Amino acid sequence: KQEVTQIPAALSVPEGENLVLNCSFTDSAIYNLQWFRQDPGKGLTSLLLIQSSQREQTSGRLNASLDKSSGRSTLYIAASQPGDSATYLCAVRWGNKLVFGAGTILRVKS
Amino acid sequence: GAGVSQTPSNKVTEKGKYVELRCDPISGHTALYWYRQSLGQGPEFLIYFQGTGAADDSGLPNDRFFAVRPEGSVSTLKIQRTERGDSAVYLCASSAAGLRDEQFFGPGTRLTVL
C-alpha cells in the first residue's frame, strides 16, 4: 500500500532556529513529491515540487531534498519566523493521485 | 481568475439532502482533481479529470458521490443522500496538463451535514 508518513506530528521552536521536517513514503516508484503549507481554515499553498529525477529544490529560506531509494524527503526551513507557523504537508505523486501525509504542525514562538 | 476558486466556501445541509460543490480551475489547466480532508488529516484523493473525462475515479467512496466537468473547465462534485460522515473540507486542485505538473489548490468548501 502506498503511504506517506510525516514526523514529527507537531513541533514548537523559538524564532530564528533552523528546523527540519521529515517525510517518508513506502513505494519509490514516484512521479514527484510536493510540499505544501496549510494555514488554519485555509487551502493548501504549494511550497516546492521535486521531480523523481531531482535531488533537491530551493525557494528562499526553504530547501527540500528527495532520496527515492530510501523513501525519504526533508523540508529544511532556515531562520524560522513566527509567520512560518502553519501545518506542513508532504504529498507524493503515484500514478494519477497525490497521497498526503497527515502533516506537521509547526509553531514558531517570538 | 489568478487561482483555483471554489463555491460555496461553507455549506450546511441536513442528512439525506443533495449538495453540489463547484470548482473553477486556473484558466488553461486541463487536469482537475477533487480531494476530501477530514480534521487533523491530510487530503484524500477522490477523482481526477483530464479535460472533460474522469480519468481516475477510484477515490470516490461510494455511488452517492459523482463529479462532472462537461466543458473541460468548471467541475461540480455532487453528493446524494448526504450522511453525517460526509462532513469534511472538499478541496479542488488543477494542474497544467501532465502527471508531473505542480498541483494548485483552491480554498476548499467546508461541508457540514447535520
Side-chain angles (χ1 to χ4, degrees):
Chain A
K1 185 180 178 184
Q2 293 164 333
E3 294 181 336
V4 178
T5 303
Q6 291 187 245
I7 294 173
L11 181 63
S12 182
V13 300
E15 182 177 5
E17 274 206 3
N18 303 323
L19 57 99
V20 173
L21 307 181
N22 296 292
C23 172
S24 61
F25 49 93
T26 54
D27 179 351
S28 63
I30 71 172
Y31 279 110
N32 53 45
L33 184 147
Q34 203 165 345
W35 282 93
F36 293 89
R37 168 188 173 135
Q38 187 171 34
D39 293 282
K42 305 291 186 184
L44 279 63
T45 300
S46 180
L47 298 173
L48 290 164
L49 170 71
I50 311 177
Q51 300 294 349
S52 61
S53 59
Q54 297 174 323
R55 297 283 295 187
E56 67 177 342
Q57 283 288 338
T58 298
S59 175
R61 294 183 293 108
L62 305 179
N63 176 276
S65 68
L66 173 64
D67 184 342
K68 262 196 328 178
S69 61
S70 66
R72 293 181 183 177
S73 175
T74 61
L75 179 66
Y76 175 83
I77 303 177
S80 58
Q81 303 170 357
D84 294 331
S85 298
T87 297
Y88 290 80
L89 293 159
C90 169
V92 176
R93 182 76 183 247
W94 284 294
N96 292 323
K97 64 191 75 168
L98 279 180
V99 178
F100 284 80
T104 295
I105 302 171
L106 173 65
R107 181 185 171 209
V108 180
K109 298 171 289 185
S110 57
Chain B
V4 178
S5 62
Q6 293 185 246
T7 54
S9 56
N10 281 283
K11 177 70 177 179
V12 180
T13 191
E14 294 180 344
K15 180 175 179 295
K17 299 290 188 183
Y18 168 84
V19 297
E20 289 189 351
L21 312 179
R22 176 187 168 108
C23 171
D24 279 90
I26 292 172
S27 178
H29 280 191
T30 61
L32 185 145
Y33 308 80
W34 284 98
Y35 295 82
R36 178 168 72 172
Q37 186 175 25
S38 299
L39 193 63
Q41 300 181 19
E44 293 181 308
F45 170 82
L46 295 177
I47 187 169
Y48 156 56
F49 287 90
Q50 184 58 255
T52 60
D56 185 345
D57 64 358
S58 61
L60 294 178
N62 51 60
D63 61 6
R64 295 186 298 105
F65 289 75
F66 189 71
V68 296
R69 195 185 184 201
E71 299 178 356
S73 179
V74 170
S75 176
T76 304
L77 178 65
K78 309 180 180 194
I79 310 174
Q80 298 177 323
R81 303 183 305 279
T82 52
E83 300 177 357
R84 292 193 180 88
D86 298 335
S87 296
V89 175
Y90 289 81
L91 295 164
C92 175
S94 70
S95 67
L99 295 176
R100 298 190 180 277
D101 292 328
E102 189 173 6
Q103 291 190 26
F104 297 92
F105 280 74
T109 294
R110 181 174 299 278
L111 175 65
T112 303
V113 182
L114 301 177

